[in-house]
Amino acid sequence: MNWEILADWRISAILLALVLVLAVALWALWEFVSGTQQRRMIAERSALERAEHEAAAPMARLEVALFRTQWGARLHRRIARSGADIRLSTFVVALSAGALSAVVVVWQVLAPFFGLLAAAGVAFLFFSYLNRAEAKRREEFTAQLPDLARVLGNATSAGLALPTAVAMAAEELDGPAGEELARMTESMKLGASFEEAVAELRERMPSRELGVLLATLVVSSRSGGSLVTALRNISSTLEHRKETRREVRTTLSETTSTVWALGAMSVGAVFLINSIEPGIMRVMTTSVSGIAVLLVVAALFTLGFVLVNRITRFEL
């Protein structure tokens, strides 16, 4: 009898222990879930507060103010096309600070006239960098067009629709083609038609080769046809054009480098003359004839730079 009572007590104790363990486990699970939700709420609240703080920052307000202007919106599109990881407000502030610093330094070293020219030169360098970044990214995108046409041809030959083929190409290709195709895919996901997404891509990346490829895709999406054969032919043609462009660019690189070297040497010559004869540039800018000579020299250098730039520009 005592053994039966002892066994019953053991069973009861085991059951009680299991109940306590289950209760503790449920309590721990509840604490974990509630703690996770609380941490998420704190993170969301901190992210919201951080976003509000960033939106209230002076640079963010300047960004919004610049973007509302037509000039600022156009400059923002150019920065986006160049692929530069810089905000519109940062670019404008850096440009203004560089121009102001050039005015102050060159004004004191040479003369007020050269200070104004230095400010114009700083602005020219900033926008030249932007132009070169745009051209470089466009050239890199153009160089990827044969691979793009090949990927689209393989995808369409497998029976995939054009939007799906574009999304697959965005995943397989590196930037900038992968980035631009990802934007195109995201635009179609948000409700834009294939033609509208193509038009946006063509506006961001103006190129004759891209125009031919996109026109083929648009015509095929409207009327059908042998898209696979067309894409393979386009891929072969673009490969040959890429090699030709590379050869021409290599031939013209020496001329463009010489122009930039001459421009740097002319600026250095001005400082060299002023160091040999201190104050000569300030004296020269005090007379009308001296200012006229300097303006003629600057105009000739500018004209030469523009002419060489036009001559070395090529379109295949």
Side-chain angles (χ1 to χ4, degrees), residues 23-178:
V24 171
L26 291 175
W27 175 79
L29 181 62
W30 170 258
E31 288 294 330
F32 176 77
V33 173
S34 61
T36 302
Q37 293 179 351
Q38 186 176 6
R39 286 193 298 271
R40 185 182 298 113
M41 292 176 61
I42 293 174
E44 292 177 354
R45 188 181 304 116
S46 61
L48 180 60
E49 291 176 355
R50 185 167 60 252
E52 292 178 351
H53 177 72
E54 292 177 356
M59 293 295 288
R61 294 181 179 179
L62 178 62
E63 182 92 12
V64 174
L66 291 172
F67 190 76
R68 288 177 179 175
T69 63
Q70 184 177 2
W71 176 82
R74 185 166 58 251
L75 181 59
H76 182 269
R77 288 193 296 268
R78 291 191 59 186
I79 294 175
R81 286 198 300 265
S82 67
D85 189 15
I86 183 174
R87 299 175 60 179
L88 172 62
S89 56
T90 305
F91 183 85
V92 173
V93 169
L95 172 60
S96 303
L100 183 60
S101 301
V103 169
V104 173
V105 173
V106 179
W107 187 304
Q108 296 297 325
V109 174
L110 296 179
F113 175 80
F114 290 98
L116 299 178
L117 291 181
V122 168
F124 173 76
L125 291 177
F126 268 78
F127 285 100
S128 295
Y129 164 76
L130 198 59
N131 291 333
R132 291 178 66 87
E134 283 186 84
K136 181 180 178 181
R137 193 166 188 267
R138 188 165 55 248
E139 290 294 333
E140 291 176 353
F141 184 87
T142 304
Q144 290 180 291
L145 287 180
D147 297 331
L148 172 59
R150 194 175 302 112
V151 171
L152 292 178
N154 295 334
T156 52
S157 64
L160 298 178
L162 274 178
T164 308
V166 171
M168 187 179 70
E171 295 178 357
E172 293 188 4
L173 296 177
D174 297 329

Side-chain angles (χ1 to χ4, degrees), residues 279-311:
I280 187 63
M281 292 299 170
R282 190 178 297 273
V283 173
M284 189 174 183
T285 54
T286 56
S287 63
V288 178
S289 58
I291 295 177
V293 170
L294 292 175
L295 289 176
V296 170
V297 172
L300 290 176
F301 267 103
T302 304
L303 179 61
F305 184 85
V306 171
L307 290 178
V308 172
N309 188 31
R310 288 293 184 92
I311 293 172

